[in-house]
Amino acid sequence: MNIFCMGVNYKTAPLDVREKLTIPEEDLLPSLQTLRESLPECEWVIVSTCNRAEIYGASEKEEALNAALVFLEKKAEASLSSFLYTYTQTRAVEHLFNVASSLDSMVVGEPQILSQVKTAYIHSMKCEASSVVLNTLFRQSVHTGKRARTETQIGLKPVSIGHAAVQLALRIFGDLKNRALLIVGAGEMAKVCARHLKQQGVQTLFVANRTYERGLKMAENVGARCIPFEQLHDQLKTVDIVISSTGAQKALLIRDDMQKIMRARKQKEIFLIDIAVPRDIEAEVNELDNVFLYNIDDLQNIVSENRDERRREIERVSLIVQQETQHFLSWYKTLEITPILIALREKFESIRADEMHRMMNRLQHLPEQDRETIRAMTVQMVNKLLATPMNTLKNISVSENDKRIYLEALREIFKLDGASAQNNERDKKNEP
Amino acid sequence: MSLETTFFAVSFFCYAVSSILYPAHLFLKPAKIFEHSRLFLRTGLLFHTFALILRLNSIGMLPVSNTYEAFSFSAWVLVLVFSVLERRWGFSSVGSIVAPFAFFSLAYASVLPQKHHILVPFLKNYWVEIHVSLSMLSYATFILAFGTSISYFLQEKLLKQKKSNPMSLQLPALTFLDELSARLVVIGFPLFTLGILTGILLQESRWGVLWVWEPKQTASLLTWMIYGVYLYSRKVAGWKGRRSHYFLIAGFIAVVVTFLGINVFISSGRHRFM
């Protein structure tokens, strides 16, 4: 059985390639159907997020890899050779566990990937595109992701300005659902911050720009209402979070202004994010009560402090991934071996039982005790004969190909045909 | 050692451990520490309850007849109210105030004479028990509000410092703390008012006067005014944030003074037994 992963991610393929390969949740089931039709004796799971598009498969057949490639290139309507990566067996398992633990994400430690992985395999499970092997693999990957998050601090500290802003907002306001956001100015960073905050629940957004048309564009982009620039101070009396990013040379907001605004707000807490250089908001504004002003350096400091700590946490998560990979592989090994071992034992046992039976007739003259001794000896002999090969097989550490050859050889040499039928039975029941 | 004293000692020990673990949880991440601190506090509460039930059984009334009983009972009310609300509101950082409070209350109580004080016939009135219970419940909420205020100031300081600090994540969000403080006083203030009113009624029925300017009554009036102004500033004037919490600090000091206002030998002292 071969486990493999084939796909592209943000490291190997640019956005325009990934866009073509993205499969939204509603298209997962039909895509899985297509894959199953192209190769029914293969388990399939599709993981598609904004960072990656990957197909995971498990099959005895060599053609599985080709089937996956055909599917992907058809979707992309182009050759993907320079962007595609393929992992097999141990490397594939390790990769999936890394993905689930967010080590392979653009923002290491991001929380969404875990639920995305879960969704992927639940869909496969529902339409029975996946079976014992991939179900177990993905279940364990979710377990690994959970371990990574609870046993390390990987998810705790933000590594991008947007995340830092969100985390601070959550520390100030707790729930962001009924909060209002005002964006002053324009710019990519402001947009990103706004999107992050919106993702966390902020529903009311305003935009103000000295040039009304530019304000309208930004407002359209993020889903906000554009207000005339003159109403800025008035709007500050009602919003909770402000992102300021204008190109102005002088500060827009000075301490005295803010003091008046705070009075009008009855001292309701306000979070000011000033990412403009030169700064839009006077530094002294932070001295006011209930005002929390963070400029670009403050946010960068938080992020870079966190990056170093995150390196430590990444190492810890890698360790967890290693452990879980080993754990999965030992289960996986027994999956293949167990039916063969059982078949082998059964074969030996049936021979022993036959011979014993025939012997019994000729040993009638012996007392019961002696017959029993002989019987016990036959059992022990079979056990000893089997002990070495069984142990060797269980602890074998050769390449996958060689292992398959060993098992096939065993099957062939001992004529363990019953093993294949039993294989399927046991596959359904085997869980680690 | 009697059974009651044993339970008391176990509870005391649990509060002690909990007093160390709750603050430890603020500084260290492992969720285990938090679970253990909660566990110890609740176990302490359980044994404390047993001890109080035993005493209640043997004396036939609420154990509030002497200073020992007063401290023990008020600590119990505080931990009980906290445990109930902590489940619903998730403000466990305040445990760092509650657990030490309970610990020190019991520590002080343990060195006081424990023998139940036989009260004069007048005080064997169930209205006295109601008056005391109401007061203690309200004290509990006010102490918790003090706890949320401290947490608020701490969180505010961390956010103003603008350095990434893990403690900031262990504390609840700023506005949430602000809201909780208000909620606590909204619960406590009416209880406190009723406590004062029942006290006034008791005084009237026994001594024929509604009010006497003895230390405890004066202190309680001051406390009542502080929390009254706090509520007014928040609900009517719409105050929020830092400045409203100053009231809660002042109120807390007033509560401590009121509770400890054990006048010993002033002749007009009504609360001589407490």
Side-chain angles (χ1 to χ4, degrees):
Chain A
M1 235 282 186
N2 212 348
I3 298 178
F4 66 87
C5 164
M6 181 186 290
V8 301
N9 68 15
Y10 68 96
K11 290 186 212 157
T12 65
L15 192 53
D16 50 345
V17 171
R18 293 198 327 264
E19 273 171 344
K20 295 207 204 102
L21 293 174
T22 305
I23 302 175
E25 206 179 313
E26 38 300 356
D27 290 343
L28 271 180
L29 285 171
S31 303
L32 287 166
Q33 277 299 100
T34 313
L35 281 168
R36 285 184 80 189
E37 278 160 26
S38 69
L39 191 63
E41 308 98 336
C42 180
E43 299 185 37
W44 301 104
V45 176
I46 300 175
V47 176
S48 173
T49 73
C50 52
N51 279 179
R52 73 193 60 253
E54 293 173 340
I55 297 184
Y56 289 84
S59 174
E60 308 262 346
K61 304 263 168 170
E62 301 275 334
E63 305 87 69
L65 281 168
N66 209 25
L69 181 62
V70 164
F71 176 84
L72 286 172
E73 292 200 326
K74 195 149 164 232
K75 223 167 178 298
E77 291 163 4
S79 160
L80 293 170
S81 45
S82 47
F83 308 116
L84 220 52
Y85 50 79
T86 311
Y87 301 122
T88 56
Q89 303 296 70
T90 309
R91 192 66 192 89
V93 173
E94 211 174 46
H95 175 75
L96 176 61
F97 288 2
N98 276 332
V99 168
S101 313
S102 74
L103 283 187
D104 201 55
S105 299
M106 209 174 338
V107 181
V108 171
E110 56 119 339
Q112 289 99 334
I113 185 65
L114 196 52
S115 63
Q116 284 164 331
V117 166
K118 221 195 241 179
T119 309
Y121 107 85
I122 285 176
H123 277 276
S124 285
M125 213 166 51
K126 255 200 257 178
C127 68
E128 295 185 5
S130 64
S131 183
V132 175
V133 177
L134 285 190
N135 284 347
T136 311
L137 179 67
F138 271 79
R139 235 198 331 272
Q140 211 174 327
S141 76
V142 170
H143 174 71
T144 309
K146 285 205 187 118
R147 273 193 68 190
R149 294 197 79 77
T150 52
E151 293 175 27
T152 74
Q153 311 212 4
I154 193 104
L156 225 53
K157 316 255 174 81
V159 272
S160 75
I161 305 268
H163 277 105
V166 162
Q167 201 180 58
L168 287 167
L170 288 171
R171 287 295 91 221
I172 298 174
F173 298 111
D175 189 11
L176 295 179
K177 282 203 197 84
N178 295 321
R179 305 294 172 179
L181 168 67
L182 168 65
I183 307 171
V184 185
E188 196 51 43
M189 184 116 44
K191 234 188 270 173
V192 167
C193 276
R195 284 220 193 92
H196 272 115
L197 287 164
K198 206 166 168 207
Q199 223 179 22
Q200 289 294 323
V202 174
Q203 283 162 350
T204 322
L205 291 95
F206 300 99
V207 172
N209 195 314
R210 259 192 231 279
T211 321
Y212 195 71
E213 290 73 38
R214 294 181 69 189
L216 276 177
K217 236 205 261 179
M218 165 74 100
E220 241 193 78
N221 216 304
V222 296
R225 226 189 78 199
C226 186
I227 61 166
F229 197 71
E230 302 73 47
Q231 288 181 11
L232 180 64
H233 282 209
D234 278 333
Q235 200 63 48
L236 283 171
K237 292 182 188 152
T238 58
V239 298
D240 305 286
I241 308 173
V242 178
I243 302 175
S244 187
S245 164
T246 76
Q249 291 298 107
K250 262 182 12 168
L252 288 172
L253 207 55
I254 57 173
R255 193 197 145 122
D256 287 341
D257 292 338
M258 202 61 209
Q259 209 163 22
K260 292 198 198 100
I261 293 170
M262 287 312 284
R263 235 176 274 145
R265 289 171 65 89
K266 305 277 176 62
Q267 299 294 327
K268 197 158 75 120
E269 288 92 348
I270 192 169
F271 179 30
L272 304 172
I273 308 170
D274 182 5
I275 50 181
V277 177
R279 282 174 284 183
D280 282 345
I281 306 176
E282 214 184 31
E284 286 80 8
V285 165
N286 196 37
E287 291 167 11
L288 296 169
D289 280 342
N290 308 310
V291 175
F292 298 94
L293 170 62
Y294 280 70
N295 61 40
I296 188 93
D297 276 0
D298 299 324
L299 292 174
Q300 294 274 34
N301 276 336
I302 292 177
V303 168
S304 59
E305 267 176 34
N306 294 338
R307 263 209 193 106
D308 293 327
E309 294 201 35
R310 193 159 285 213
R311 244 173 250 137
R312 251 184 283 143
E313 299 308 311
I314 288 175
E315 281 170 26
R316 294 171 68 189
V317 173
S318 293
L319 228 70
I320 292 176
V321 166
Q322 292 300 330
Q323 285 173 1
E324 293 292 322
T325 307
Q326 284 314 311
H327 189 209
F328 176 79
L329 289 176
S330 20
W331 171 79
Y332 186 49
K333 259 191 229 167
T334 65
L335 187 64
E336 293 193 308
I337 293 173
T338 308
I340 304 260
L341 290 178
I342 291 176
L344 190 63
R345 177 174 277 282
E346 281 179 0
K347 185 141 202 137
F348 274 40
E349 177 55 35
S350 77
I351 293 173
R352 185 202 71 82
D354 274 343
E355 290 302 308
M356 196 60 220
H357 188 75
R358 285 200 282 150
M359 205 24 65
M360 273 308 149
N361 296 333
R362 293 206 242 144
L363 295 177
Q364 289 298 341
H365 61 284
L366 286 178
E368 173 71 32
Q369 210 174 349
D370 291 342
R371 270 183 280 152
E372 183 48 38
T373 312
I374 293 179
R375 196 198 68 80
M377 188 218 72
T378 64
V379 171
Q380 203 173 28
M381 181 160 20
V382 166
N383 284 345
K384 285 220 172 129
L385 281 169
L386 281 174
T388 313
M390 287 200 135
N391 268 331
T392 314
L393 273 176
K394 277 198 193 137
N395 301 318
I396 209 169
S397 56
V398 295
S399 75
E400 286 312 312
N401 252 338
D402 288 354
K403 192 158 65 144
R404 205 166 307 144
I405 294 175
Y406 280 40
L407 292 173
E408 273 311 305
L410 257 174
R411 211 182 290 189
E412 203 31 55
I413 292 172
F414 284 93
K415 296 279 185 279
L416 299 174
D417 294 311
S420 327
Q422 278 156 345
N423 239 338
N424 295 330
E425 272 305 295
R426 294 222 164 73
D427 273 356
K428 298 282 184 260
K429 291 190 206 141
N430 253 335
E431 305 291 359
Chain B
M1 233 183 10
S2 77
L3 192 59
E4 183 198 331
T5 324
T6 318
F7 284 153
F8 186 89
V10 173
S11 154
F12 180 59
F13 171 71
C14 288
Y15 289 156
V17 175
S18 172
S19 302
I20 298 172
L21 292 181
Y22 264 110
H25 169 63
L26 277 182
F27 289 96
L28 308 163
K29 196 223 168 190
K32 285 274 173 179
I33 294 187
F34 167 61
E35 280 162 26
H36 290 149
S37 55
R38 217 197 228 177
L39 183 70
F40 271 101
L41 191 69
R42 295 210 177 142
T43 311
L45 180 65
L46 190 67
F47 279 96
H48 199 174
T49 313
F50 289 154
L52 285 174
I53 290 179
L54 284 174
R55 184 161 273 249
L56 183 77
N57 226 359
S58 74
I59 65 177
M61 64 170 275
L62 221 54
V64 291
S65 74
N66 61 22
T67 317
Y68 162 79
E69 289 178 351
F71 270 82
S72 172
F73 185 64
S74 60
W76 179 80
V77 173
L78 176 64
V79 177
L80 179 69
V81 173
F82 174 64
S83 299
V84 167
L85 292 177
E86 185 195 24
R87 230 189 214 148
R88 299 186 58 190
W89 291 353
F91 60 136
S92 9
S93 60
V94 175
S96 309
I97 303 266
V98 170
F101 231 85
F103 169 70
F104 284 117
S105 292
L106 291 196
Y108 180 56
S110 63
V111 301
L112 295 172
Q114 297 186 6
K115 183 158 145 51
H116 176 75
H117 188 114
I118 307 294
L119 298 173
V120 296
F122 154 66
L123 288 173
K124 290 211 190 121
N125 183 349
Y126 67 76
W127 276 107
V128 172
E129 290 170 308
I130 293 178
H131 166 70
V132 170
S133 304
L134 284 171
S135 307
M136 296 217 172
L137 269 174
S138 58
Y139 292 159
T141 60
F142 293 152
I143 294 172
L144 291 177
F146 171 68
T148 53
S149 286
I150 297 286
S151 303
Y152 180 92
F153 284 126
L154 190 56
Q155 178 71 289
E156 194 207 23
K157 174 156 169 276
L158 291 172
L159 286 168
K160 281 271 189 186
Q161 262 178 358
K162 304 204 270 185
K163 275 191 239 120
S164 96
N165 193 319
M167 204 192 295
S168 177
L169 294 162
Q170 308 286 44
L171 295 169
L174 203 65
T175 49
F176 184 58
L177 285 168
D178 196 42
E179 249 217 59
L180 278 188
S181 309
R183 255 191 247 170
L184 284 164
V185 176
V186 163
I187 297 175
F189 188 71
L191 291 174
F192 192 55
T193 313
L194 284 174
I196 293 183
L197 286 175
T198 48
I200 290 176
L201 288 173
L202 279 168
Q203 179 153 265
E204 210 273 336
S205 78
R206 169 74 173 86
W207 283 286
V209 281
L210 288 174
W211 189 265
V212 166
W213 291 102
E214 61 136 1
K216 197 158 179 115
Q217 288 181 42
T218 317
S220 61
L221 184 66
L222 184 65
T223 310
W224 187 87
M225 289 200 304
I226 293 176
Y227 284 107
V229 173
Y230 169 79
L231 280 182
Y232 179 83
S233 76
R234 277 198 80 96
K235 300 295 177 181
V236 179
W239 275 27
K240 272 183 179 290
R242 193 165 231 267
R243 58 186 177 178
S244 65
H245 290 272
Y246 292 140
F247 282 114
L248 296 178
I249 308 289
F252 170 72
I253 298 175
V255 163
V256 171
V257 166
T258 311
F259 181 65
L260 295 179
I262 301 166
N263 51 306
V264 183
F265 288 126
I266 302 176
S267 53
S268 62
R270 305 293 184 206
H271 286 98
R272 201 175 317 148
F273 304 104
M274 301 215 77

